[in-house]
Amino acid sequence: MRHGHGTYAVVRGLPELDDDAPGGSPMRVLDLLFAGVERISCSAYLGSLHLRRADEAERRTLDDNVGPLPDGDTVYFLKAGSTQDYVVASGLYWAEFDLAPAALSPLASMDAEYRANHPAVHGVFTFPVQARSPAGPGRDGAVRRGDVRPVPTGE
C-alpha cells in the first residue's frame, strides 16, 4: 500500500507469543499505518487497543493544551478512557498479515514485490474522510463496522 504521505507510523498488534515456536516464525499480526503523522503521544507498549476518533470538544481541548492541529487531520485516540494516548494524522489504514513479528509492514513498504509476496489476509481497510462535525462516525467516536471501507486493490 503506497500511502503517498511523507511521515507515517506503524502500530503492530501481536498475538501472545508461543515460546515453543521457532524464532522468526510467521504469525497473524494486525498492522495499523497512520499516514501523514503530525503528532504522536503514547507509551511504547499500548496493551489493549481501543481506537476512536476525537470528538469536536476533545479536539478543541487538545488544540488548547498542545497547540493548533492541522485542519483536515484526525485525532485518533488509542486507549479506552484516555485522551493522553493519541496520534494526529491525515489517514489510517489497517490490515492483517502473516509475518514474522519484526518484519516490515507491507503497508509501509514501497517495494511492490514485497507487498505482492505479503498480501493482506482480508484486504486493507481505511476510514472514509471524516467531516469535522460533532456527529462524527458515532456519538462516542468509536470505530464501527460501517465506519470503515476496503481500499481498492491494485494500489
Side-chain angles (χ1 to χ4, degrees):
M1 154 118 269
R2 289 179 29 196
H3 45 83
H5 298 277
T7 57
Y8 67 88
V10 175
V11 174
R12 175 164 287 166
L14 299 169
E16 288 191 33
L17 298 177
D18 180 357
D19 292 335
D20 296 328
S25 295
M27 61 178 59
R28 183 74 42 96
V29 300
L30 173 66
D31 283 355
L32 292 89
L33 182 134
F34 295 91
V37 172
E38 291 290 331
R39 183 173 289 136
I40 297 174
S41 174
C42 68
S43 61
Y45 176 74
L46 289 171
S48 181
L49 184 72
H50 177 90
L51 185 65
R52 69 180 183 86
R53 292 177 174 148
D55 62 27
E56 283 296 313
E58 291 168 324
R59 186 179 175 98
R60 280 192 304 274
T61 299
L62 204 52
D63 274 339
D64 292 342
N65 292 339
V66 300
L69 301 174
D71 285 337
D73 281 2
T74 300
V75 177
Y76 299 97
F77 289 119
L78 305 174
K79 295 177 94 171
S82 172
T83 57
Q84 301 303 308
D85 297 285
Y86 62 87
V87 177
V88 178
S90 60
L92 170 61
Y93 303 88
W94 67 92
E96 289 182 299
F97 298 97
D98 291 324
L99 296 171
L104 173 68
S105 173
L107 293 175
S109 176
M110 298 300 285
D111 182 344
E113 184 177 344
Y114 181 81
R115 291 192 313 270
N117 289 332
H118 299 90
V121 175
H122 302 291
V124 177
F125 297 88
T126 187
F127 282 113
V129 174
Q130 177 185 19
R132 295 270 314 273
S133 73
R139 290 211 168 126
D140 62 0
V143 177
R144 289 176 176 68
R145 185 174 299 273
D147 295 337
V148 300
R149 64 179 173 80
V151 174
T153 56
E155 314 138 84

